[in-house]
């Protein structure tokens, strides 16, 4: 798998730019994804979304359903797209270091 | 080729972005005679295989010439289709729900030149580019999927077996000699994209081996609970596995006797691949339909448990289908779909007449509903 460097750290990623392992996530990764995903500025709302995704993943071993993400963060889907233009899967989950979404996507 | 920008600015991806505009409205592309007579059609006739005429209240007529579509096609071929439409149909054409192409003209004298033009066009290898047919009680196009061209979960190919089958059934694409129309569909795995579960004859890609476990990466790449919940027979459970280097990782344990090789777990988890050259092949199903005509819609039933993938022409598969259609054509009554025929004569007669082996694989064993597929009556034929 290819590697990318950012802020003095090296990350192993797949062809879609998802990190190889949740354990290798750190704050530099967030900055890296911010640029790749076309996000101008990281706000508290971005961090809150990342936090919710990570807590849920650690506790349940899966990413939350979109309805749960909305309910826990209080952000409607439309607002999640305003924060993460690629959406909750390709944008927010990637930034949070979760595994790449699977299935008929 | 060097990079050529479309005007999109990767530094400001949301700037000038157009979204949620939906498809173009269908009536922008109507031929004038369709636009004028929309909702006012009186009757239609099939003039000959592949040629229809619709007559409107106004007396206007529209002649439709249907040609076989290969579905997977190059821009070059689409341009040729457009050239034909420009030449004969004022630039209009449409695709059917079975991926055939229809050219429409507004008077009878334009029909024969169009047919002559279409039938004269061939690929270098000799096959027809635009064979006219697919109407009435015949075999029309095969609804099919991605196969080895593009998908990651197939157990067989799509375009290859479809070409092999349509070559064998070509005469019935160009004729209308059957008791009713026969719909053939293919799906390359039992996700069944398309219409295999509701077709007169269906070709379905099938695995025969359980997934191979990539324990080293599984917990990193997969959401373990999703993979476990994806299994219809509960063959999976979470567990710890010790790798060759002694590290213990979270992973999934497969109870192989419970696995029936559906591949759902691989759809959810990239670390559980199961495709296999010898193991994979084709299941044949028969007797489905979607229309409400006479009998209610039916699911197709499994009639052949396994044929191997015989690249590139799948002879056992195509022979079996050809034979089933011949027996149906000779034995069924007019208007009777294949499934209606099989149910009337009894499935035991269907197997006898089609000379298909009845194996234990064909007996339903999935949950409570399996019971209703067994025979709770003394009514059967020896
Ligand atoms: C694993 C889940 C699925 C995936 C990954 C998937 C993906 C695709 C893709 C990529 C195509 C080709 C589209 C194109 O040619 O541009 C396709 C075609 C098609 N899919 Fe699916 N699909 C899925 C599920 C389904 C389901 C559940 C159905 C029906 C109930 C379905 C019906 C069809 C049909 C009819 C076509 C052919 C369309 C055509 O003629 O171009 N798909 N699918
Ligand atoms: C009351 C209205 C209609 C009825 C009762 C009707 C009935 C049917 C039936 C029974 C089939 C065969 C389905 C099967 O068992 O495979 C069929 C197929 C089809 N219908 Fe209709 N239909 C109607 C309206 C339309 C309209 C308005 C269109 C298009 C403008 C249309 C286009 C088609 C096409 C393209 C096929 C498949 C033909 C092929 O490519 O093989 N139908 N229809
Ligand atoms: S039927 Fe299965 S293998 Fe074929 S395109 Fe659909 S998901 Fe892919
Ligand atoms: S292939 Fe299907 S039956 Fe076998 S373990 Fe995976 S999900 Fe279960």
């Amino acid at each position: 798998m290819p590697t990318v460097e950012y802020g003095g750290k090296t990350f192993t990623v797949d062809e879609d730019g998802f990190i190889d392992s949740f354990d290798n996530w750190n704050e530099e990764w967030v900055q890296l994804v911010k640029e790749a995903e076309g996000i101008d500025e990281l706000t508290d709302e971005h961090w809150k979304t990342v936090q919710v995704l990570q807590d849920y993943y650690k506790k349940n071993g899966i990413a939350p359903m979109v309805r749960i993400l909305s309910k826990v963060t209080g952000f409607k889907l439309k607002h999640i797209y305003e924060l993460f233009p690629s959406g909750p899967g390709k944008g927010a989950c990637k930034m949070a270091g979760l595994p790449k979404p699977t299935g008929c996507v | 080729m060097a990079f050529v920008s479309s005007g999109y600015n990767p530094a400001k991806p949301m700037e000038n972005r157009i979204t949620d505009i939906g498809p173009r409205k269908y009536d922008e592309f109507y031929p004038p005679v369709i636009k004028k007579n929309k909702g006012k059609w009186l009757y239609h006739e099939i003039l000959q295989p592949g040629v229809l005429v619709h007559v409107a209240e106004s007396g206007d007529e529209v002649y439709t010439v249907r040609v076989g579509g290969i579905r997977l096609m190059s821009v070059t071929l689409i341009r040729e289709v457009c050239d034909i439409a420009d030449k004969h149909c004022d630039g209009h054409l449409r695709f059917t729900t079975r991926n055939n192409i229809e050219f429409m003209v507004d008077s009878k004298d334009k029909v024969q030149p169009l047919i002559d033009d279409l039938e004269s066009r061939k690929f270098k290898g000799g096959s027809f580019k635009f064979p006219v047919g697919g109407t009435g009680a015949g075999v029309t196009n095969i609804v099919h999927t991605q196969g080895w061209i593009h998908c990651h979960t197939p157990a067989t190919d799509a375009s290859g077996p479809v070409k092999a089958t349509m070559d064998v059934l070509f005469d019935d694409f160009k004729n209308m000699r059957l008791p009713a129309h026969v719909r053939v569909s293919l799906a390359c795995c039992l996700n069944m994209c398309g219409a295999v579960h509701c077709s007169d004859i269906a070709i379905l890609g099938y695995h025969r081996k359980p997934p191979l476990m990539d324990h080293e990466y599984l917990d990193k790449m997969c959401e373990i609970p999703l993979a476990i919940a994806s299994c219809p027979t509960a063959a999976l459970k979470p567990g710890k596995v010790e790798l060759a280097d002694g590290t213990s990782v979270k992973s999934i344990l497969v109870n192989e006797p419970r696995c029936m090789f559906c591949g759902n777990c691989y759809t959810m988890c990239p670390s559980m691949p199961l495709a296999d050259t010898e193991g994979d092949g084709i299941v044949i199903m028969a007797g489905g339909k979607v229309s409400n005509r006479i009998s209610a819609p039916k699911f197709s039933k499994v009639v052949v448990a396994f044929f191997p993938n015989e690249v590139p022409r799948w002879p056992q598969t195509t022979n079996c289908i050809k034979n089933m259609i011949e027996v149906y054509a000779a034995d069924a009554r007019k208007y009777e779909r294949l499934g209606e025929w099989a149910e009337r004569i009894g499935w035991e007669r269907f197997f006898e007449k089609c000379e298909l082996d009845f194996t234990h694989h064909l007996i339903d064993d999935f949950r409570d509903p399996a019971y209703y597929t067994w025979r709770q009556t003394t009514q059967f034929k020896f």
Side-chain angles (χ1 to χ4, degrees):
Chain A
M1 289 209 279
T3 56
V4 283
E5 274 178 45
Y6 192 92
K9 297 250 166 58
T10 303
F11 302 97
T12 306
V13 297
D14 70 9
E15 68 278 17
D16 295 312
F18 278 80
I19 198 166
D20 65 338
S21 169
F22 183 67
D23 297 336
N24 297 337
W25 179 91
N26 56 39
E27 303 213 351
E28 278 75 20
W29 173 258
V30 175
Q31 297 297 333
L32 190 162
V33 174
K34 164 182 173 271
E35 286 184 17
E37 292 294 311
I39 296 166
D40 288 335
E41 208 183 324
L42 284 176
T43 64
D44 289 349
E45 292 184 332
H46 288 102
W47 283 107
K48 182 174 179 187
T49 311
V50 165
Q51 196 70 53
V52 167
L53 287 171
Q54 293 193 332
D55 288 349
Y56 193 94
Y57 181 67
K58 281 185 221 155
K59 207 158 138 194
N60 301 295
I62 58 174
M65 284 181 280
V66 171
R67 285 158 54 103
I68 294 176
L69 183 64
S70 273
K71 219 166 179 177
V72 179
T73 56
F75 305 150
K76 294 224 163 77
L77 187 60
K78 184 166 181 293
H79 189 58
I80 296 175
Y81 271 90
E82 283 159 7
L83 296 171
F84 300 93
S86 312
K90 280 171 73 182
C93 283
K94 186 192 279 182
M95 185 178 276
L98 268 55
K100 182 160 69 190
T102 56
C104 290
V105 283
Chain B
M1 199 167 69
F3 175 72
V4 180
S5 171
S6 63
Y8 167 74
N9 179 1
K12 292 196 183 312
M14 302 303 277
E15 197 175 85
N16 297 328
R17 177 168 170 265
I18 299 169
T19 178
D20 295 335
I21 55 170
R24 297 279 295 272
K25 197 175 176 214
Y26 47 88
D27 60 8
E28 288 176 51
F29 307 97
Y30 278 160
V33 57
I34 299 283
K35 185 170 246 163
K36 180 180 163 206
N37 297 291
K38 181 179 176 182
K40 294 173 194 146
W41 301 102
L42 278 184
Y43 65 92
H44 73 271
E45 274 175 64
I46 303 179
L47 299 178
Q48 68 190 68
V51 184
L52 304 144
V53 60
H54 288 76
V55 181
E57 287 167 7
S58 63
D60 286 356
E61 295 175 330
V62 56
Y63 293 84
T64 304
V65 179
R66 182 180 295 167
V67 300
I70 45 180
R71 199 178 74 97
L72 186 69
M73 61 186 108
S74 65
V75 175
T76 310
L77 192 69
I78 293 175
R79 288 206 170 116
E80 187 167 342
V81 170
C82 294
D83 289 343
I84 296 169
D86 283 339
K87 198 164 137 198
H88 298 272
C89 319
D90 300 319
H92 297 285
L93 66 102
R94 66 183 290 266
F95 285 78
T96 71
T97 51
R98 300 190 74 89
N99 305 302
N100 289 316
I101 309 172
E102 290 185 344
F103 296 98
M104 288 151 287
V105 291
D106 53 14
S107 77
K108 187 156 196 177
D109 51 302
K110 295 179 183 169
V111 174
Q112 200 54 46
L114 171 60
I115 294 176
D116 293 343
D117 186 358
L118 290 165
E119 291 283 8
S120 72
R121 293 171 189 253
K122 289 189 169 188
F123 289 104
K124 280 214 183 82
S127 46
F128 289 100
K129 281 182 174 169
F130 307 109
V132 175
T135 54
V139 176
T140 180
N141 215 350
I142 300 183
V143 167
H144 64 281
T145 50
Q146 307 180 61
W148 298 327
I149 296 275
H150 196 75
C151 197
H152 70 299
T153 64
T156 188
D157 191 25
S159 304
V162 163
K163 168 68 174 153
T165 307
M166 278 316 279
D167 280 350
V168 170
L169 303 180
F170 190 63
D171 289 345
D172 281 319
F173 180 79
K174 307 217 53 129
N175 278 301
M176 306 191 294
R177 58 142 190 155
L178 301 176
H181 55 245
V182 172
R183 299 286 188 246
V184 185
S185 300
L186 174 148
C188 30
C189 85
L190 41 64
N191 201 27
M192 299 195 179
C193 302
V196 282
H197 64 300
C198 56
S199 296
D200 297 274
I201 295 177
I203 308 167
L204 181 65
Y206 180 61
H207 301 288
R208 292 184 303 168
K209 297 185 183 179
L212 292 169
M213 307 303 293
D214 197 350
H215 294 299
E216 187 182 347
Y217 294 102
L218 194 142
D219 185 37
K220 297 176 180 172
M221 301 189 70
C222 308
E223 298 164 77
I224 289 176
L226 283 194
I228 289 170
S230 76
C231 183
T233 58
L236 303 175
K237 63 177 182 185
K240 294 237 177 196
V241 173
E242 197 163 304
L243 300 179
D245 67 3
T247 47
S248 170
V249 289
K250 281 195 242 169
S251 192
I252 291 176
L253 308 176
V254 188
N255 181 359
E256 293 196 353
R258 282 194 77 91
C259 174
M260 40 74 164
F261 332 119
C262 70
N264 260 351
C265 50
Y266 178 59
T267 298
M268 300 318 295
C269 171
S271 302
M272 303 178 70
L274 77 166
D276 182 86
T277 309
E278 278 77 39
D280 294 355
I282 278 172
V283 160
I284 305 282
M285 311 200 297
K289 71 195 270 279
V290 290
S291 77
N292 249 313
R293 208 258 275 122
I294 304 176
S295 64
K298 298 177 197 300
F299 283 129
S300 47
K301 293 182 193 299
V302 178
V303 296
V304 176
F306 188 76
F307 284 136
N309 275 326
E310 301 167 296
V311 178
R313 300 293 299 175
W314 280 267
Q316 289 190 65
T317 298
T318 58
N319 287 343
C320 170
I321 292 171
K322 174 80 178 157
N323 179 54
M324 249 193 291
I325 289 180
E326 290 305 332
V327 176
Y328 158 75
D331 201 65
R333 294 175 185 162
K334 192 161 169 59
Y335 303 124
E336 211 168 37
R337 292 286 291 266
L338 194 141
E340 295 168 325
W341 165 65
E343 286 181 9
R344 174 173 61 81
I345 63 174
W347 284 96
E348 65 270 37
R349 277 286 183 278
F350 171 88
F351 279 89
E352 191 182 304
K353 284 179 193 275
C354 293
E355 292 173 29
L356 295 171
D357 287 337
F358 189 92
T359 61
H360 70 276
H361 308 96
L362 310 184
I363 301 169
D364 196 345
D365 58 357
F366 190 65
R367 301 194 178 173
D368 295 2
Y371 175 79
Y372 299 101
T373 66
W374 305 340
R375 188 161 304 192
Q376 288 125 42
T377 169
T378 53
Q379 298 195 348
F380 67 92
K381 295 175 193 122
F382 280 101

